[in-house]
């Protein structure tokens, strides 16, 4: 039989792969590894916190979170976050605006100072505040003479929290502001707008989603900070203990159920923050994508 008489046989379809060349098996393996990691190191510990918190029943849980020292720790945690986060918003916006929109000699130094809390251990930063403002510190005698308490009091907690959370807002805003350039601001100034009007009507709306993400990160770190706060607080129950410090004390005293009860509140605050972020991304997803912040 000639070749022309041979029946046509379709070639087997080529194995499909992704645009980057990964096979289906590779993609499945990567997804499985990622999900397994999240399940083992994130979901299971989080679930264990809530399970252990309710292990002894609702009455024990309610007693743990309404105990006077626990309520004082909750109030102090919220107060520190309520002061530190707005402060870092103002300073972070100012620093990001200066770095992204202007040229000056100390620009690289300012960027390095913003990154400093990322490179210094929180415990070391807390120790620095003790060496500066403690009773035997550099400013200690003067502070004692004027009856001013910083270490082992609320001001010390605020200083430590502000220091460790300072980079989050600025670091979210700087790359976004730099990518936007200065064309919009220059156009507004050309049309006669004042600098403050340009900032509130042009600059700030353009970076509002980056600012939102920075605030979320800053708030989460402020409420959960342990190392720096532990050094400057003195761990005085009912006075200078935040929620993380109170959890440690309860756990060290073998009050596991109470410790997990407070931990569940702290985890709940984080989940509320995450839920708010997810809702806003769902509600304003198109606007976020258009702004270039994913």
């Amino acid at each position: 039989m000639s070749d022309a008489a041979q029946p046509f046989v379709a070639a087997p379809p080529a194995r499909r792969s992704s645009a980057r060349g990964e096979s289906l098996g590779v993609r499945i393996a990567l997804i499985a590894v990622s999900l397994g990691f999240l399940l083992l190191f994130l979901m299971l510990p989080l679930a264990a916190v809530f399970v252990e918190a309710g292990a002894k029943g609702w009455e024990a849980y309610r007693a743990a979170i309404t105990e006077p020292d626990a309520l004082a720790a909750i109030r102090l945690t919220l107060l520190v976050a309520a002061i530190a986060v707005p402060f870092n918003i103002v300073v972070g916006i100012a620093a990001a605006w200066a770095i992204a929109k202007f040229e000056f000699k100390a620009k690289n130094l300012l960027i390095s100072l913003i990154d400093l809390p990322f490179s210094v251990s929180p415990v070391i930063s807390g120790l620095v505040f003790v060496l500066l403002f403690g009773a035997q510190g550099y400013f200690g005698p003067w502070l004692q003479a004027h009856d001013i308490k910083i270490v082992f009091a609320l001001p010390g907690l605020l200083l430590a929290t502000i220091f460790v959370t300072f980079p989050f807002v600025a670091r979210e805003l700087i790359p976004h502001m730099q990518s936007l350039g200065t064309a919009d601001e220059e156009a507004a100034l050309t049309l006669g707008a004042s600098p403050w009007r340009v900032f509130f009507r042009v600059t700030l709306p353009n970076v509002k989603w980056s600012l939102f993400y920075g605030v979320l990160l800053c708030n989460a770190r402020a409420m959960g900070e342990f190392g720096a706060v532990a050094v400057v607080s003195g761990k005085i129950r009912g006075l200078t203990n935040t929620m993380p410090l109170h959890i440690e004390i309860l756990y060290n005293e073998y009050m596991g159920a109470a410790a997990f009860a407070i931990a569940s509140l702290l985890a709940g605050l984080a989940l509320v923050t995450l839920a708010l972020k997810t809702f806003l991304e769902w509600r304003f997803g198109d606007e976020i994508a258009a702004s270039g912040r994913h």
Side-chain angles (χ1 to χ4, degrees):
M1 182 181 294
S2 65
D3 292 341
Q6 292 291 337
F8 174 76
V9 178
R15 178 176 295 178
R16 291 186 177 181
S17 61
S18 67
R20 296 185 179 181
E22 298 94 347
S23 65
L24 179 61
V26 172
R27 282 180 284 166
I28 292 176
L30 290 174
I31 294 172
V33 170
S34 300
L35 291 178
F37 179 86
L38 291 175
L39 178 64
L40 182 62
F41 291 98
L42 182 62
M43 300 306 298
L44 286 181
L46 185 61
V49 169
F50 290 98
V51 170
E52 291 296 326
K56 293 188 177 181
W58 166 250
E59 288 300 323
Y61 181 87
R62 185 182 62 82
I65 63 176
T66 57
E67 189 262 337
D69 288 343
L71 291 176
I74 295 170
R75 286 193 296 266
L76 184 60
T77 300
L78 297 177
L79 176 62
V80 169
I83 297 175
V85 173
F87 179 87
N88 280 334
I89 290 174
V90 174
V91 179
I93 290 175
W97 194 15
I99 291 171
K101 305 297 182 179
F102 303 99
E103 294 294 334
F104 50 95
K105 291 184 178 180
K107 186 174 182 177
N108 290 332
L109 176 61
L110 179 57
I111 295 174
S112 299
L113 291 176
I114 291 174
D115 291 335
L116 183 63
F118 283 148
S119 57
V120 176
S121 168
V123 175
I124 299 302
S125 64
L127 181 60
V128 168
F129 287 119
V130 173
L131 294 176
L132 287 175
F133 305 114
Q136 306 301 320
Y138 185 78
F139 299 107
W142 185 88
L143 293 172
Q144 284 186 322
H146 293 80
D147 195 26
I148 300 175
K149 295 182 179 179
I150 294 181
V151 175
F152 307 152
L154 177 61
L157 300 178
L158 291 174
L159 286 174
T161 304
I162 288 171
F163 178 83
V164 299
T165 59
F166 172 71
F168 290 101
V169 173
R171 265 301 170 192
E172 283 290 320
L173 290 175
I174 289 172
H176 195 182
M177 284 186 174
Q178 288 176 329
S179 68
L180 292 174
T182 60
D184 291 345
E185 287 82 357
E186 291 172 355
L189 290 171
T190 302
L191 294 173
S194 65
W196 283 113
R197 187 174 180 84
V198 171
F199 173 75
F200 284 108
R201 299 298 296 271
V202 178
T203 303
L204 202 57
N206 284 342
V207 298
K208 63 181 178 181
W209 292 114
S210 294
L211 176 61
F212 171 72
Y213 283 104
V215 170
L216 287 181
L217 293 173
C218 182
N219 182 68
R221 181 65 184 272
M223 291 192 297
E225 173 56 27
F226 180 86
V229 170
V231 176
V232 300
S233 71
K235 297 182 180 180
I236 305 172
R237 299 184 73 157
L239 293 177
T240 63
N241 270 349
T242 58
M243 292 173 70
L245 301 182
H246 189 61
I247 292 168
E248 182 202 27
I249 289 177
L250 292 175
Y251 190 79
N252 289 338
E253 293 178 350
Y254 301 101
M255 301 175 65
F260 279 108
I262 305 301
S264 70
L265 289 182
L266 196 57
L269 291 173
L271 291 176
V272 169
T273 302
L274 180 61
L276 176 62
K277 171 181 174 291
T278 303
F279 170 76
L280 290 176
E281 286 180 337
W282 168 77
R283 179 65 178 81
F284 302 101
D286 294 339
E287 186 177 346
I288 295 173
S291 71
R293 180 63 177 88
H294 300 285

